[in-house]
Amino acid sequence: MDLKQKLLVIIGPTAVGKTKLSIELAHRFNGEIISGDSMQIYKGMDIGTAKIKAEEMEGIPHHLIDIRNPDESFSVAEFQELVREKVREISQRGKLPMIVGGTGLYIQSVIYDYQFSDAPGDETYRLQLEERAKEIGNVALHQELTEIDPDSARQIHPNNVRRVIRALEIVHCTGRTMSDTQKTQKPDLLYQTALVGLTMDREMLYQRINARVRLMMDEGLLSEVEQLYQSGLRDCQSIQAIGYKEIYDFLNGMVTLDTAIENLKQNSRRYAKRQLTWFRNKMDVQWFDMMDTSDFSKKITEISRFVEGKLQIKSNT
């Protein structure tokens, strides 16, 4: 890994304004954007994931959007591999790679030297677990992981059987959980990284989230989810995403549409709170308050100066 590769990372909770800022900075620093959102990889899931529209890109190349079908699983390790390859490609073109998103674990796995494969393995035990998964089902096997390593189980979807098995295998081989193994790692930053975090007053953020949910409904979120539902999509990693599972509850007759929308707002607010907690605890972030963006150009200039100093580069302005 070339440690001199420069990387700009923009993180923050949902609805804080990452997309708009990222486009401005991409223009200033000749950047290309890699999505750091674990759900924007899925085709046909546009409105609920707040996927950037083509006209909003303003000609800036975007990567890792629409690369999987909704019935496919996707792991942190896969994301790590794909993004690191994109960082290399973009750097080789003389552009600045930018990761923009809110999925903390995924972004953390890319920029720090975490190793998912270092722990010892046991092929015989792994094959036994694969057979066991076929016999008792994915959910039951995931429940076994929940009982011995709840932290890892929370991060792994039941249908991501390969990773469930890997977590069980690590406990079997080492006597320690995968989450404990990760906690003891003291990873280094792999890149010359400018880590920009966007934040704002929680009440204002929650108002923006509620407004975004209303806009999503106006833009056709119900129709988008109905298409996935009518295609037969069930029990997949993708539809566990906020914005989809709530509407699925409505389509399954479990709640009214109004209740589903309220649940979507509440779950989005809770997710934003978890995102902020994660970023503050896990990453060395330079935070910028986005409360007052009446003079957006001033905010852009402030953040640009930080990026210039951190990456030792000059902006185009």
Side-chain angles (χ1 to χ4, degrees), residues 41-53:
I41 62 163
Y42 290 113
K43 300 171 187 172
M45 297 177 63
D46 304 331
I47 300 169
T49 64
K51 204 176 285 177
I52 188 169
K53 300 178 179 72

Side-chain angles (χ1 to χ4, degrees), residues 1-7 190-192:
M1 182 70 65
D2 179 6
L3 296 180
K4 292 191 172 71
Q5 282 178 332
K6 299 176 192 297
L7 177 65
L190 284 175
Y191 308 98
Q192 186 178 344

Side-chain angles (χ1 to χ4, degrees), residues 189-244:
L189 277 168
L190 284 175
Y191 308 98
Q192 186 178 344
T193 308
L195 200 44
V196 172
L198 307 185
T199 186
M200 64 172 52
D201 171 78
R202 191 162 287 173
E203 274 309 308
M204 173 65 77
L205 181 64
Y206 287 174
Q207 287 175 26
R208 287 172 63 106
I209 288 170
N210 291 341
R212 172 179 278 190
V213 170
R214 289 193 294 270
L215 180 61
M216 285 176 172
M217 294 305 297
D218 290 344
E219 289 182 338
L221 177 61
L222 178 58
S223 174
E224 178 174 276
V225 182
E226 279 177 333
Q227 281 187 304
L228 296 170
Y229 188 86
Q230 287 163 8
S231 73
L233 201 66
R234 303 286 189 280
D235 301 320
C236 295
Q237 182 177 345
S238 61
I239 60 169
Q240 297 307 311
I242 294 171
Y244 296 85

Side-chain angles (χ1 to χ4, degrees), residues 76-241:
V76 179
E78 288 174 281
F79 180 82
Q80 181 191 70
E81 183 181 350
L82 286 171
V83 173
R84 287 179 179 174
E85 183 57 39
K86 285 294 177 190
V87 169
R88 279 191 290 272
E89 289 174 10
I90 294 167
S91 297
Q92 285 165 3
R93 287 198 289 273
K95 301 287 194 75
L96 177 66
M98 300 170 55
I99 302 176
V100 181
T103 309
L105 176 69
Y106 278 54
I107 295 172
Q108 185 186 29
S109 77
V110 171
I111 65 177
Y112 294 104
D113 192 16
Y114 279 96
Q115 298 297 327
F116 287 94
S117 56
D118 276 0
D122 181 335
E123 188 174 357
T124 302
Y125 181 70
R126 188 161 61 247
L127 291 171
Q128 288 172 354
L129 288 177
E130 287 172 4
E131 287 303 313
R132 185 161 171 72
K134 290 174 189 171
E135 289 170 15
I136 67 172
N138 300 350
V139 174
L141 192 69
H142 186 267
Q143 183 57 38
E144 291 183 8
L145 177 62
T146 301
E147 289 166 10
I148 60 174
D149 186 0
D151 287 345
S152 293
R154 274 193 291 271
Q155 296 172 5
I156 305 171
H157 188 269
N159 286 339
N160 196 340
V161 181
R162 187 180 70 177
R163 200 151 172 253
V164 171
I165 288 173
R166 180 60 181 142
L168 288 166
E169 183 185 14
I170 287 171
V171 176
H172 172 77
C173 293
T174 68
R176 302 175 66 222
T177 64
M178 185 168 79
S179 49
D180 280 344
T181 303
Q182 289 176 353
K183 283 172 191 169
T184 57
Q185 290 182 2
K186 292 188 178 165
D188 297 319
L189 277 168
L190 284 175
Y191 308 98
Q192 186 178 344
T193 308
L195 200 44
V196 172
L198 307 185
T199 186
M200 64 172 52
D201 171 78
R202 191 162 287 173
E203 274 309 308
M204 173 65 77
L205 181 64
Y206 287 174
Q207 287 175 26
R208 287 172 63 106
I209 288 170
N210 291 341
R212 172 179 278 190
V213 170
R214 289 193 294 270
L215 180 61
M216 285 176 172
M217 294 305 297
D218 290 344
E219 289 182 338
L221 177 61
L222 178 58
S223 174
E224 178 174 276
V225 182
E226 279 177 333
Q227 281 187 304
L228 296 170
Y229 188 86
Q230 287 163 8
S231 73
L233 201 66
R234 303 286 189 280
D235 301 320
C236 295
Q237 182 177 345
S238 61
I239 60 169
Q240 297 307 311

Side-chain angles (χ1 to χ4, degrees), residues 217-272:
M217 294 305 297
D218 290 344
E219 289 182 338
L221 177 61
L222 178 58
S223 174
E224 178 174 276
V225 182
E226 279 177 333
Q227 281 187 304
L228 296 170
Y229 188 86
Q230 287 163 8
S231 73
L233 201 66
R234 303 286 189 280
D235 301 320
C236 295
Q237 182 177 345
S238 61
I239 60 169
Q240 297 307 311
I242 294 171
Y244 296 85
K245 61 183 179 182
E246 295 85 1
I247 304 296
Y248 259 65
D249 285 346
F250 162 66
L251 296 173
N252 283 321
M254 297 164 64
V255 297
T256 65
L257 182 58
D258 284 346
T259 299
I261 294 167
E262 286 308 308
N263 290 343
L264 170 49
K265 290 176 183 176
Q266 185 180 66
N267 289 337
S268 297
R269 294 192 300 267
R270 286 174 175 167
Y271 178 56

